[in-house]
């Protein structure tokens, strides 16, 4: 890809997903939540979702704040754009367990990580990279045209971490 091409940039907040139609950079910041990035190595296309709860409270609830609707929504959207499960590669980030964090819920990060791994396994999407756990949050940048990610682990997530400036 030509380095002089300016990629569009998107920011994915908890409970959102993004599947750009053009090559882009997608950013997200997570603590106990989990970010799943999926890239199709044949179509050179990808997307990202960010969920914060491992299990839906009701089967009728299709909100992407939950693991299942979030990841399935991402996979289905990629398939609708011509991507195939066989050529998809997933990366999973986040799921920290910071007992000092405001509103800390014990094992929420671990449960989110396990939900992501289980859903990807059931859908037969190859998991190629994982950067999860610990007490540190993460800032993620995902390039949808190359499948490359940059992950920064941080000790404290600040309110301004949630927005691109």
């Amino acid at each position: 890809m030509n380095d002089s091409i300016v990629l569009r940039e998107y920011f994915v907040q908890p409970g959102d997903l993004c599947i750009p139609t053009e090559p882009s950079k997608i950013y997200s910041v997570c603590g106990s939540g989990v970010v799943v990035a999926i890239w199709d190595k044949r179509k050179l296309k990808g997307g990202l979702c960010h969920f914060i709860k491992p299990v839906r409270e009701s089967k009728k609830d299709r909100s992407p704040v939950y693991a299942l609707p979030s990841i399935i929504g991402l996979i289905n959207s990629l398939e609708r754009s011509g991507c195939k499960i066989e050529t998809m590669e997933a990366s999973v980030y986040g799921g920290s367990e910071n007992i000092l964090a405001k509103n800390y819920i014990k094992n929420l990060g671990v449960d989110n990580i396990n939900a992501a791994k289980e859903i990807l396994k059931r859908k037969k999407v190859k998991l190629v990279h994982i950067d999860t756990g610990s007490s540190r949050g993460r800032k993620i940048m995902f390039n949808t045209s190359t499948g490359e990610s940059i992950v920064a682990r941080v000790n404290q997530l600040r309110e301004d971490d949630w927005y691109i400036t």
Side-chain angles (χ1 to χ4, degrees), residues 23-139:
S24 304
K25 292 179 185 175
I26 308 175
Y27 297 87
S28 197
V29 177
C30 61
S32 61
V34 165
V35 167
V36 175
I38 298 179
W39 186 65
D40 186 297
K41 61 186 177 183
R42 181 183 55 86
K43 292 286 280 184
L44 305 180
K45 181 180 181 87
L48 183 143
C49 66
H50 183 168
F51 65 90
I52 55 175
K53 296 182 179 182
V55 180
R56 297 180 288 179
E57 294 164 12
S58 161
K59 290 193 183 234
K60 293 180 182 179
D61 194 342
R62 298 177 190 268
S63 170
V65 300
Y66 301 104
L68 187 64
S70 185
I71 298 170
I72 297 299
L74 177 59
I75 292 169
N76 289 347
S77 294
L78 287 167
E79 285 184 306
R80 281 193 297 276
S81 72
C83 298
K84 303 285 185 202
I85 292 282
E86 301 79 30
T87 52
M88 288 183 194
E89 298 179 339
S91 298
V92 176
Y93 308 103
S96 69
E97 290 285 336
N98 184 350
I99 62 172
L100 302 176
K102 185 178 174 183
N103 302 320
Y104 170 72
I105 299 171
K106 186 176 181 170
N107 294 325
L108 179 59
V110 171
D111 292 345
N112 281 330
I113 295 164
N114 290 337
K117 288 179 178 179
E118 180 59 32
I119 293 164
L120 292 168
K121 181 179 177 182
R122 273 192 278 156
K123 291 300 288 181
K124 296 182 171 55
V125 175
K126 183 178 180 182
L127 181 56
V128 296
H129 186 254
I130 188 160
D131 186 338
T132 58
S134 84
S135 62
R136 301 174 86 186
R138 286 161 178 84
K139 296 179 183 183

